[in-house]
Amino acid sequence: MIYFDNAATTMLDPKVLETMMPYLKTSFGNPSSIYKLAQESHIALENARSKIAKILNARPDEIYFTSGGTESDNWAIKCIAQAYKNKGKHIITSSIEHHAVLHSCKYLESQGFRVTYLPVDKDGLIDLDELEKNICEDTILISIIFANNEIGTIQPIEQIGKIARNHNIVFHTDAVQAAGSIPIDVKKMNIDSLSISAHKFYGPKGVGLLYLCKGVKIIPFMDGGAQELQKRAGTENVASIVGMANALEIANENMEQNIEKITLLRDKIIDNILKTIPHCRLNGHRTKRLPNNINISFEFIEGESLLLLLDSKNIYASSGSACTSGSLDPSHVLLAIGLPHEIAHGSLRITLSKYNTQEEVDIFLSYLPGIIKRLRDMSPLYEEFLQKQTR
Amino acid sequence: MDYSQKVMDHFMNPRNVGSLENANGIGTVGNAKCGDIMKIFLKVNDNQIIEDVKFKTFGCGAAIATSSMATELIKGKSIYDALKITNKAVMEALDGLPPVKVHCSCLAQEAIQAAILDYAQKNNIKIDTPKASSKSTCCHN
């Protein structure tokens, strides 16, 4: 099996699983209880919080554990907006956010908020002047994705944060794809609020966090007990939180060498495909992109067919075609960077991990041209294109 | 995707792929914007029997599998019998399709009808084409 869908989820690092096991087996106490068994859980929880805070350059009391990236995004967008609604009802975000942010913004629109969806250029970057221009007196929140999950483009987060600070506006970023992959420093980057999900960096599923800068107001999303400084009720998922902290620690320690190794594989794939297969284009910025992301559109073919043929070779990847998005439209991100529908349908996303090897890349590259040719040979669009060429 | 073994078989080993040099009926349905185009080539003989059929499809696994199955179902049939083949028949022959892929079977039915209509028009034959039972038209139409 060649697993190339690491933006969807990653394999749990066996070392991470080991650190989780005691809290699934013997130290199962509820961190909110007072006896010794519970204390073990409580200490593990707070250690995890401190570790994560240190890596992000935050304070431990600025880290709130959640069930994952989607909850963190929902909580931040909806509940920061609610907390500031007396100051204003305008929010600025981008047109290439994850649906957790986009749909939260849509919800807020239904509640009387105004949302500006900033366009992006052909590489998927927002324009900082455009951002500044769209700031109004009643703008209360800016939310821009740190690095895009489909095309890997990394936004100028530090500058966005600076603009938000200058205007005294809360700045949230969905860092689900960035965390554990590239450096994040919330203080240096002027970030007020940030979402992270553990399963994107070899941690367990169902756990994440929201970083919230001291002084930024938010209302609770989950009501109940007094957990997480009374801001997020519910018994903490101790084992998974311990696993997340450990996974982030491992990712942080090996970040430089992983970036180097994975970037090398990424560039090999990009260069090889663009050189050997005609009528294709790279989506996303060539250099301002996640080390592990490759997104290429192949003209005249449809993405799901491509995925199924790769699957038949035990190679697992993803696509932005309508057929894989569960709707009739191809990916909103690919449309936002200006791809025509028919080309967006033919996209392939490869997202690498620290476990991928040169050999796997070579196997993939040996199969791909044949698969593309096979689909083009049966495509009426390609036939039409060839006929036009010879006319 | 939750495809039946038959769908996967027709996707992996599609029957009758290609084009016919001497086709006397050609039908193209769907559009690139929606991500599905089916083109069916027919060779109909003087007895109005579909002697040979080929297809080219741009689309997902289900689009390719339904095209393949549709060509199998009409091969050797008279154009009148072929016109009676519904999207439901194509789906049943494939042991079903996931709900989001039903439109592919409608497209297959429409492609057959379009090709037969093309043949009929060229040969001054008057025929009625039955409507697909559910709509294949998508977002952009």
Side-chain angles (χ1 to χ4, degrees), chain A residues 231-280:
Chain A
K231 287 205 168 77
R232 201 279 188 183
T235 299
E236 301 86 345
N237 186 352
V238 180
S240 292
I241 289 167
V242 167
M244 171 165 64
N246 186 246
L248 195 61
E249 211 173 21
I250 294 173
N252 197 49
E253 277 166 14
N254 305 301
M255 191 171 281
E256 237 173 273
Q257 67 189 76
N258 280 341
I259 289 178
E260 196 183 329
K261 182 198 150 183
I262 297 170
T263 304
L264 212 69
L265 297 179
R266 177 195 75 183
D267 291 345
K268 183 177 180 177
I269 294 177
I270 293 174
D271 294 341
N272 182 292
I273 293 177
L274 295 182
K275 214 174 80 191
T276 58
I277 301 178
H279 316 302
C280 62

Side-chain angles (χ1 to χ4, degrees), chain A residues 299-302 304-306 308-309 312 322-324 326 328-330 341-342 345-346 374-381 383-384 387, chain B residues 1 3 8 11-14 17 19 32-35 37-39 41 55-62 64 100-101 103 138-140:
Chain A
E299 287 186 58
F300 320 118
I301 65 167
E302 195 279 331
E304 192 206 81
S305 305
L306 176 53
L308 289 171
L309 289 177
S312 75
C323 282
T324 54
L328 290 169
D329 278 319
H341 275 70
E342 55 269 36
H345 282 302
R374 173 178 170 163
L375 289 171
R376 281 182 176 165
D377 282 349
M378 68 165 87
S379 166
L381 285 177
E383 183 183 47
E384 203 177 288
Q387 280 165 358
Chain B
M1 191 51 69
Y3 284 140
M8 281 313 291
F11 168 71
M12 292 304 296
N13 313 293
V17 182
S19 49
K33 222 177 163 188
C34 304
I37 298 178
M38 283 182 199
K39 190 170 182 181
F41 304 80
F55 80 90
K56 283 208 168 185
T57 290
F58 158 81
C60 62
I64 290 170
V100 295
K101 301 292 188 182
H103 74 278
C138 75
C139 44
H140 310 291

